[in-house]
Amino acid sequence: MSETAAELRAANFIGGEWVPSRDGDVYERHNPWRPSEVIGEFPSSTAEDADAAIEAASRALRGWAGLSGAQRGAYLRKAADVVEARVEEIAQDMTREMGKPLRESRIEATRAAAILRFFSGEGWRPVGELYEQSAAKSLVYTRRRPVGVVGLITPWNFPAAIPTWKMAPALAYGNTVVIKLAQDSPLTGLHLVRALEEAELPDGVLNLVIGSGSKVGNAMVTDPRVRAISFTGSVPVGQGVRERATKLSKRVQLELGGHNPLIVAEDASLDKAVEAAYAGAFWSAGQKCTATRRIFVAEPAYEDFRERFLERIAQGKVGDPSDPETEVGPIVSESQFDDVMSGIARGREERGTIIAGGDRADPDAYLIPPTVFEDVPDDAFLSCEEVFGPVTTLYRFSSLEEAISRANAVPFGLSASVFTSNLAVAQRFVDELQAGILHVNSQTAGADVHVPFGGSKESGYGPHEQGRAAIEFYTEEITVYQDV
Ligand code: NAP
Ligand code: MG
């Protein structure tokens, strides 16, 4: 364990104090590359701990909301400096706790600092609009106010970026926070909370509770003091959260799964398309909501693309995620590994042919090599459902219209790519593809910090996250009629 990690309190952070769970229960987290190695013991919290955190956040709300945006931004700027100085330690811990290849963990930890820095500047932006009343020349203005106590529930797969892109805007716009990190990757999030503590955030403004979704997450969703829930995770869990939260008239934001297509047109640069397909499907072992799951290749380019893609897979480095050269590391946990392996088995049963990978690649690690299917029917499980691992399928198409309609034929709508050198093809893709994030000549994954991020159809609900879009969810717009 790195020095800072050893100093990190593997505890809840409530009202400015690091505390164990009320009933003292803990769980162990293991390294998915070497599962006999224990990463640490973390609190296995319950609804009682969530209650204490919500109470602390409620008490801190008035003071925090009373500061100016610029004053709040100053705390985020300090936290950004702390995170930036610790990128390497955070990245190392991220890799150990959830198996993300170090090269990607470094990028993600750096991005967490950039997100904090971006939102530290948002406090200087306008907070409303000024109008004249229609009947008299008196003023009417709008004003953005914090929503209140917000509950943030995050997945394990981007343990630095996702908690940061929820916490930073929530705090910048004057809300107080209760965050529940995923049990599979709490260590990275502990670094982030620690950075905000070191930035001297007032007590109770940010509260962390580590524990299961069914206990801690559910307590946040059903407590009336929490006015908004921002959730990132799987479709079924997210839909349940929405149901329970909206019954209590809470504001809800969901970022859910995807089944993201990449379309390779006949005139595409195949080298670029192959590289993007590899990165999109296999980096982080395909454990990204925006990973490339379906690759549609124009019939005349199919054989050439297939051959180059298999060559690229043969050259890719698969294995120890702490080796900076590694491109594909392990799956996060045994249960996720079992899910991915059963998705692969189902693909085989449903007439799919495996042309790369498909079997466990290490007796200890939860390691699955890049796996590629072809000949999978459009109505088979693999063509319709998200398998959260390094698994992708090749399909042939004969017209752009056909490619777009098959790409759109799933309930998901997170991200999509097209590779083409024809502007008209690119334009048609941008007009018709049903997804919240579109890429022309780049891979389906990746998100810049200063622009909106979010899915359509079943992949998202509520306002988008990140960039200036975040203000929509984390503030309430009120209208003031002001006569003299
Ligand atoms: P998940 O199983 O849905 O869990 C997400 C979070 O919800 C975890 O913190 C989990 O707690 C918690 N949770 C579970 N049951 C709950 C309940 N009843 N009430 C409240 N919270 C509950 O998702 P995951 O396995 O962590 O992540 C993978 C999924 O996330 C994939 O489907 C992926 O596509 C999606 N994802 C989407 C985006 C996006 O931005 N669109 C980004 C990344 C990932 P535990 O600690 O108990 O698991
Ligand atoms: Mg899960």
Side-chain angles (χ1 to χ4, degrees), residues 104-382:
E104 285 192 86
S105 298
R106 285 174 174 155
I107 294 168
E108 190 183 333
T110 306
R111 183 159 143 214
I115 294 166
L116 286 162
R117 213 172 286 294
F118 175 86
F119 282 106
S120 75
E122 285 301 278
W124 276 269
R125 299 274 189 185
V127 291
E129 288 176 340
L130 184 63
Y131 302 80
E132 285 175 359
Q133 292 185 27
S134 57
K137 212 188 163 196
S138 322
L139 299 181
V140 189
Y141 62 92
T142 64
R143 186 179 170 154
R144 296 214 171 246
R145 297 200 301 211
V147 179
V149 175
V150 300
L152 312 179
I153 300 175
T154 58
W156 49 264
N157 66 334
F158 282 97
I162 293 178
T164 309
W165 86 42
K166 293 187 194 298
M167 290 190 292
L171 296 172
Y173 298 124
N175 305 283
T176 55
V177 169
V178 177
I179 182 167
K180 188 203 97 57
L181 301 169
Q183 285 181 295
D184 281 343
S185 57
L187 191 50
T188 306
L190 280 164
H191 277 288
L192 302 170
V193 172
R194 176 74 191 268
L196 283 151
E197 182 197 16
E198 287 179 34
E200 294 175 53
L201 207 63
D203 295 348
V205 168
L206 171 64
N207 304 276
L208 162 68
V209 185
I210 298 173
S212 74
S214 55
K215 290 181 181 163
V216 177
N218 191 51
M220 290 159 62
V221 170
T222 52
D223 190 307
R225 292 168 295 178
V226 177
R227 294 311 311 145
I229 295 284
S230 178
F231 172 93
T232 300
S234 60
V235 171
V237 177
Q239 289 180 341
V241 163
R242 176 176 59 199
E243 198 133 307
R244 294 191 301 282
T246 50
K247 269 198 190 130
L248 298 167
S249 304
K250 293 186 190 199
R251 194 175 270 225
V252 180
Q253 174 182 59
L254 306 177
E255 293 295 348
L256 308 177
H259 204 348
N260 315 299
L262 180 151
I263 296 173
V264 183
E266 189 181 345
D267 54 35
S269 152
L270 287 192
D271 284 341
K272 269 196 182 169
V274 161
E275 197 50 43
Y278 185 89
F282 305 132
W283 283 357
S284 291
Q287 300 171 109
K288 295 183 185 177
C289 51
T290 49
T292 306
R293 309 279 179 214
R294 297 175 295 149
I295 303 175
F296 294 92
V297 186
E299 182 69 61
Y302 188 90
E303 290 305 327
D304 199 3
F305 178 90
R306 179 187 191 276
E307 191 179 321
R308 293 192 210 196
F309 192 42
L310 293 178
E311 268 168 31
R312 176 64 180 85
I313 289 169
Q315 285 158 15
K317 183 146 196 231
V318 179
D320 182 354
S322 67
D323 176 343
E325 302 287 307
T326 295
E327 292 183 282
V328 183
I331 300 294
V332 68
S333 66
E334 189 168 12
S335 72
Q336 287 292 128
F337 174 84
D338 291 344
D339 280 358
V340 177
M341 290 308 290
S342 66
I344 292 173
R346 185 131 179 215
R348 282 192 171 110
E349 281 158 24
E350 292 182 325
R351 295 192 281 125
T353 311
I354 291 190
I355 57 172
D359 298 309
R360 186 173 194 151
D362 185 287
D364 295 332
Y366 307 128
L367 191 67
I368 300 173
T371 297
V372 184
F373 276 87
E374 63 179 359
D375 306 325
V376 175
D378 278 8
D379 61 354
F381 181 77
L382 276 186

Side-chain angles (χ1 to χ4, degrees), residues 370-418:
T371 297
V372 184
F373 276 87
E374 63 179 359
D375 306 325
V376 175
D378 278 8
D379 61 354
F381 181 77
L382 276 186
S383 300
C384 304
E385 296 296 333
E386 181 186 52
V387 172
F388 213 58
V391 182
T392 197
T393 303
L394 301 183
Y395 306 86
R396 303 164 193 263
F397 70 86
S398 46
S399 71
L400 183 63
E401 186 167 356
E402 177 202 331
I404 291 178
S405 99
R406 290 167 69 194
N408 284 341
V410 290
F412 299 100
L414 188 53
S415 70
S417 292
V418 70

